[in-house]
Amino acid sequence: METNSGLRPADVRQNNLASVLGVLRRGSATRSDLVAATGLTRSTMAGLVSELAELGLIDEVSSAATGRPGRPSPLVRLVPGAVAALGIDVSVTRLAVGLVGLDGRTISVVEREGDRTADSPESTAEAVAEMAQRIGVGGDGAPILVGVGAAVPGLVRGRDAHVVLAPNLGWTDVAFADLVRTAIHQRLGVLLDVSIGNEADLGAMAEARFGVGRRDRNVLYVHGDIGVGGSIVVDGARLPGASGYAGEIGHMPVNPNGGRCRCGSVGCWETEIGERVLLERAGLDPNSGNSGVKKLVVAAEGGEQRALDALAENGRWLGVGLAGLINILDPGLVVIGGLFGPLMPYMSDALDAELVARRFGPDERVASVVAAEMGTDALLIGAAELALTPALADPAGWLTIGG
Amino acid sequence: METNSGLRPADVRQNNLASVLGVLRRGSATRSDLVAATGLTRSTMAGLVSELAELGLIDEVSSAATGRPGRPSPLVRLVPGAVAALGIDVSVTRLAVGLVGLDGRTISVVEREGDRTADSPESTAEAVAEMAQRIGVGGDGAPILVGVGAAVPGLVRGRDAHVVLAPNLGWTDVAFADLVRTAIHQRLGVLLDVSIGNEADLGAMAEARFGVGRRDRNVLYVHGDIGVGGSIVVDGARLPGASGYAGEIGHMPVNPNGGRCRCGSVGCWETEIGERVLLERAGLDPNSGNSGVKKLVVAAEGGEQRALDALAENGRWLGVGLAGLINILDPGLVVIGGLFGPLMPYMSDALDAELVARRFGPDERVASVVAAEMGTDALLIGAAELALTPALADPAGWLTIGG
DNA sequence: CAGGTTTGTCGACTACTCTGACAAATTGAC
DNA sequence: GTCAATTTGTCAGAGTAGTCGACAAACCTG
């Protein structure tokens, strides 16, 4: 049912400011573009633009000649580096902190490579604060920070922003948001809101808003790793589900005769397409992780048949599962990310064949399947997006109270 | 991303009127209840209530004593039978037309039983118009009709409201909405908007809003029949997908060694839980349809082992698929409808066992699985809901132009 | 340089909600 | 039965936001 909550005139302003900002973060636009996109009048747009300009979020420059008659409309754009959020990528082999602007682009990034399985949540939070300091948070001329977001490889409980379980980090029920908030507070003297999200969800958000999915409103994102995660983007926003855990596509049953899954069940999708089976099928050490995958890529590039067969088999199973997901969710686009992204060239033939064989329903429902295009900073950007969201939804409120 | 469209002061009024109506259709409420539910002020609510009252949609009666001090707040309720939509249920064995009020309750229903596979779309539309006349559309004292909705057992294309394919009716690419509109126009002299929807989607809508799902905002509805359809309800509204065909859960692959599906693929869910396998497993004629299912129920009630085993096996496969769907969608509630509803008592043990074995993730994510509770009129009500939706979203606009 | 076109600006107007004061209608204590 | 406390409906005035229409500004074409 509809939201059932009342609207006030002030909400109108808030919505319209957010709409303008929403258009602009996809790229600069002239004032008359904004008028066309929002359906508001020129007078109203003048007020909105001037308010956002006073907040320092946007500025106007005279636009290039259009070649058409009429008074030229000035180009409105986000002020780069005026406002930003801190994005944190807590991966198993990488810890990265980056400043991300309203346009979803990184301003600067600081990272540490290396195995982090031994790091405690506390030392991780401490490292994050140190890196945030190094990146220049709070310094002169630095952007106004609206918040901090962190991407974690594990289950995150929305209610209290706890990391319920991150097996690959060895974390259980960690209040990571609080740890980061206090670490940053102690080191930098600023209190920032910290949000946490699952890495698949945040990768999906970045990819859906700024990557290959930028033109689609309904995207299914598949994140391959040791396990297989996913995130469902509907109308540009993540589908959370009733308790916030929607998107666990890795445990969809696809093969009743399949192997036992670490979840205790049998024949989950992830037992057919996860990192371990893939390496095993290729004759490599199933526990060799990232380095094993790199070996696999080299072998495939070298035309080694066993590697190619293993990848094709993975593509086939990927196709089996995706066919079902496409029938269920009818996304316009499927984005393959994580481990699978770089492997797509070797999997897509087998994958497509399976999709064609299992296509059901009218021809209109065709979802293209593509590899993720954003690089290593996708998680960072998705994490920052988490923190930017409330500020984008209420720009005036955020910047007059916070800054 | 957000909707990016501008809001005007008039939209505020529209939204607030719709909010009040949205609260009221779940049951009567006092004016101060409405104030609490919407967050608006008492003065504003006075204006909204009086506007809706002038439109004839609601009225106020003095409420029963609350036992608490203070001036009593009058009870606001929908005027029964003031405004309604015509719901049409086009099933294989039943054609029904009903008047459904704003509260989602039928005012009157006219139906024809009997096999309709020989009926053409044209004669069906003609019959619908005749039944609408019989029900008293346009007569004195009849409710104001805001539109017509029809539930069809087949694929419906949203763009032009065509029935793309309804195999069990033998319809292919039928402009059924237009047929009904002209048939009603010719016979009754009124031009009404006609919308069409898939039976699973409309059954889901009815069940989610007025049936077992009335307290949940995220519901997965599974509709068993010859095939298996489904509908995903997110935040009270159907999840349409990119091209409007989301919810085709019957063709999720669950068994690579399974039987060939009528969709051309292998091991679709529907090959393991559909009507045909169920009857076959029970030793009955797989083509005996509804009568076969009735025999099966009788046999199960009589404790016949083969029938019980067949139902348990169906429950098991239902559980396998549902486990996957719950992991993917994280609904708060799963509603089992259509053919499966009455069979649930015989399937739920095996189903639950499978769900427990395949549960993944934190304990918070538990979806209860229940049988649909609305009777034969569910499709009718869901169909009418389709027609009511625009009127509910803009009550003032609809009733001043239309009536 | 003149006419056509598109766009920004400004003031008057409309629509909606909020605020605050007051009146109305009930409960409960004396 | 009366009076205080409490809750709610009503009303007028104020505030905020967007629209409308007229006009000026800035560009193109010829």
Side-chain angles (χ1 to χ4, degrees):
Chain A
M1 198 125 301
E2 310 77 41
T3 158
N4 278 348
S5 85
L7 230 51
R8 282 157 289 282
D11 296 328
V12 173
R13 186 65 163 192
Q14 177 178 327
N15 172 83
N16 290 348
L17 288 172
S19 292
V20 170
L21 232 40
V23 173
L24 288 178
R25 57 197 316 243
R26 318 193 136 232
S28 301
T30 66
R31 249 156 96 151
S32 47
D33 289 340
L34 292 173
V35 167
T38 58
L40 300 169
T41 61
R42 296 200 300 262
S43 339
T44 304
M45 192 51 65
L48 293 169
V49 166
S50 81
E51 181 166 353
L52 290 173
E54 265 175 41
L55 290 169
L57 296 179
I58 63 175
D59 60 7
E60 293 183 278
V61 294
S62 56
S63 64
T66 62
R68 290 185 322 172
R71 174 171 172 176
S73 198
L75 197 65
V76 186
R77 56 175 197 186
L78 298 174
V79 175
V83 170
L86 211 57
I88 305 173
D89 173 5
V90 182
S91 295
V92 178
T93 60
R94 180 178 188 242
L95 180 65
V97 175
L99 217 45
V100 181
L102 281 184
D103 56 356
R105 279 205 273 257
T106 54
I107 299 169
S108 51
V109 177
V110 171
E111 62 178 340
R112 286 184 188 179
E113 296 277 354
D115 184 35
R116 301 189 34 267
T117 44
D119 291 7
S120 70
E122 289 76 15
S123 68
T124 304
E126 193 46 52
V128 163
E130 187 271 328
M131 290 162 84
Q133 186 172 41
R134 201 131 50 85
I135 222 169
V137 167
D140 267 357
I144 297 173
L145 267 190
V146 297
V148 181
V152 176
L155 279 173
V156 176
R157 181 166 52 211
R159 179 163 46 81
D160 53 5
H162 276 213
V163 178
V164 178
L165 181 69
N168 299 332
L169 294 174
W171 294 6
T172 310
D173 200 28
V174 172
F176 190 58
D178 290 334
L179 291 178
V180 171
R181 177 167 33 243
T182 55
I184 288 182
H185 186 208
Q186 285 180 1
R187 187 176 279 266
L188 297 164
V190 287
L191 262 177
L192 293 169
D193 279 354
V194 181
S195 329
I196 309 194
N198 170 269
E199 61 173 357
D201 290 327
L202 298 182
M205 194 184 286
E207 206 66 57
R209 294 196 177 169
F210 302 108
V212 272
R214 115 186 58 97
R215 313 227 167 271
D216 284 81
R217 302 194 58 73
N218 296 288
V219 177
L220 170 65
Y221 179 82
V222 180
H223 188 90
D225 204 331
I226 299 175
V228 174
S231 190
I232 303 162
V233 175
V234 175
D235 245 28
R238 180 189 167 223
L239 180 87
S243 40
Y245 298 109
E248 284 297 342
I249 56 180
H251 301 278
M252 166 175 66
V254 294
N255 188 357
N257 306 312
R260 179 154 291 276
C261 178
R262 59 191 177 123
C263 79
S265 180
V266 166
C268 294
W269 197 23
E270 126 174 358
T271 64
E272 298 293 349
I273 58 173
E275 188 180 273
R276 292 180 58 92
V277 234
L278 174 61
L279 293 175
E280 202 173 320
R281 283 189 184 126
L284 296 164
D285 175 9
N287 297 315
S288 54
N290 255 345
S291 67
V293 174
K294 275 178 194 150
K295 271 188 218 159
L296 177 60
V297 173
V298 171
E301 279 168 353
E304 220 172 275
Q305 198 54 44
R306 187 158 182 193
L308 292 174
D309 287 348
L311 285 165
E313 181 70 1
N314 234 56
R316 199 177 71 77
W317 279 107
L318 199 52
V320 171
L322 278 184
L325 287 169
I326 290 170
N327 279 332
I328 295 166
L329 296 169
D330 185 22
L333 181 75
V334 179
V335 178
I336 309 290
L339 161 71
F340 294 155
L343 301 178
M344 268 298 277
Y346 306 103
M347 300 196 295
S348 55
D349 284 349
L351 192 163
D352 288 342
E354 206 64 34
L355 284 187
V356 169
R358 292 173 182 274
R359 177 175 308 169
F360 166 76
D363 293 344
E364 301 153 66
R365 181 177 50 191
V366 280
S368 28
V369 180
V370 298
E373 71 174 24
M374 296 179 76
T376 44
D377 288 340
L379 294 182
L380 214 59
I381 290 168
E385 189 72 7
L386 203 59
L388 286 171
T389 302
L392 285 165
D394 182 14
W398 253 91
L399 289 165
T400 48
I401 297 173
Chain B
M1 199 128 301
E2 311 77 39
T3 158
N4 276 347
S5 85
L7 232 50
R8 280 156 287 284
D11 296 328
V12 173
R13 186 65 162 193
Q14 179 180 328
N15 171 84
N16 290 349
L17 288 172
S19 293
V20 170
L21 232 39
V23 173
L24 287 179
R25 62 197 311 245
R26 318 194 135 231
S28 301
T30 66
R31 250 156 99 151
S32 48
D33 289 341
L34 292 172
V35 167
T38 58
L40 300 169
T41 60
R42 296 198 302 260
S43 353
T44 304
M45 191 52 65
L48 294 170
V49 165
S50 80
E51 181 165 354
L52 290 173
E54 266 175 41
L55 290 169
L57 296 178
I58 63 175
D59 60 6
E60 293 183 278
V61 293
S62 57
S63 64
T66 61
R68 289 186 323 174
R71 174 172 173 174
S73 198
L75 196 65
V76 185
R77 55 174 198 188
L78 298 174
V79 176
V83 170
L86 211 56
I88 306 173
D89 173 4
V90 182
S91 294
V92 178
T93 59
R94 179 179 189 243
L95 181 64
V97 175
L99 264 181
V100 181
L102 281 184
D103 56 357
R105 278 205 274 255
T106 53
I107 298 168
S108 53
V109 178
V110 172
E111 63 178 339
R112 287 185 188 178
E113 295 278 352
D115 186 32
R116 299 191 34 268
T117 45
D119 291 6
S120 70
E122 290 76 14
S123 67
T124 305
E126 193 45 52
V128 163
E130 188 271 326
M131 291 163 83
Q133 187 172 38
R134 200 132 51 85
I135 221 170
V137 166
D140 266 359
I144 297 173
L145 268 190
V146 298
V148 182
V152 176
L155 279 174
V156 176
R157 182 165 52 210
R159 180 165 44 81
D160 53 6
H162 276 213
V163 178
V164 178
L165 181 69
N168 300 332
L169 294 174
W171 294 5
T172 310
D173 201 27
V174 172
F176 190 59
D178 290 333
L179 291 178
V180 171
R181 179 168 30 243
T182 55
I184 288 182
H185 186 207
Q186 285 178 0
R187 187 176 278 267
L188 296 165
V190 287
L191 264 177
L192 293 170
D193 279 353
V194 181
S195 328
I196 309 195
N198 170 269
E199 58 173 358
D201 289 328
L202 297 183
M205 195 184 286
E207 205 67 56
R209 293 195 177 170
F210 302 107
V212 271
R214 118 185 57 96
R215 312 228 167 272
D216 283 80
R217 302 195 57 74
N218 296 287
V219 176
L220 170 65
Y221 179 82
V222 179
H223 188 90
D225 204 331
I226 298 174
V228 175
S231 189
I232 304 162
V233 174
V234 175
D235 244 28
R238 179 188 169 225
L239 181 87
S243 41
Y245 299 109
E248 286 296 341
I249 56 180
H251 302 275
M252 166 174 68
V254 294
N255 187 359
N257 305 313
R260 178 155 293 276
C261 178
R262 59 190 177 124
C263 79
S265 181
V266 166
C268 294
W269 198 23
E270 126 176 357
T271 63
E272 298 292 350
I273 57 172
E275 189 181 272
R276 292 179 58 90
V277 235
L278 175 60
L279 293 175
E280 203 174 318
R281 284 190 184 126
L284 296 164
D285 175 8
N287 297 317
S288 53
N290 255 346
S291 67
V293 174
K294 275 178 194 150
K295 270 188 218 159
L296 177 61
V297 174
V298 171
E301 278 169 352
E304 220 172 276
Q305 197 56 42
R306 188 159 183 194
L308 292 174
D309 286 350
L311 285 164
E313 181 70 0
N314 233 57
R316 200 177 71 76
W317 279 107
L318 199 53
V320 170
L322 279 184
L325 287 168
I326 291 170
N327 279 330
I328 295 165
L329 297 169
D330 186 21
L333 181 76
V334 178
V335 178
I336 308 290
L339 162 71
F340 294 155
L343 301 177
M344 269 297 277
Y346 306 103
M347 300 195 296
S348 56
D349 283 350
L351 192 162
D352 288 342
E354 207 64 35
L355 283 187
V356 169
R358 292 173 182 275
R359 178 175 308 170
F360 166 76
D363 294 342
E364 301 152 66
R365 181 175 50 190
V366 280
S368 27
V369 180
V370 298
E373 70 173 27
M374 296 179 76
T376 44
D377 288 339
L379 293 183
L380 214 60
I381 291 168
E385 189 73 7
L386 203 59
L388 286 171
T389 303
L392 286 166
D394 182 14
W398 253 91
L399 290 165
T400 47
I401 298 174

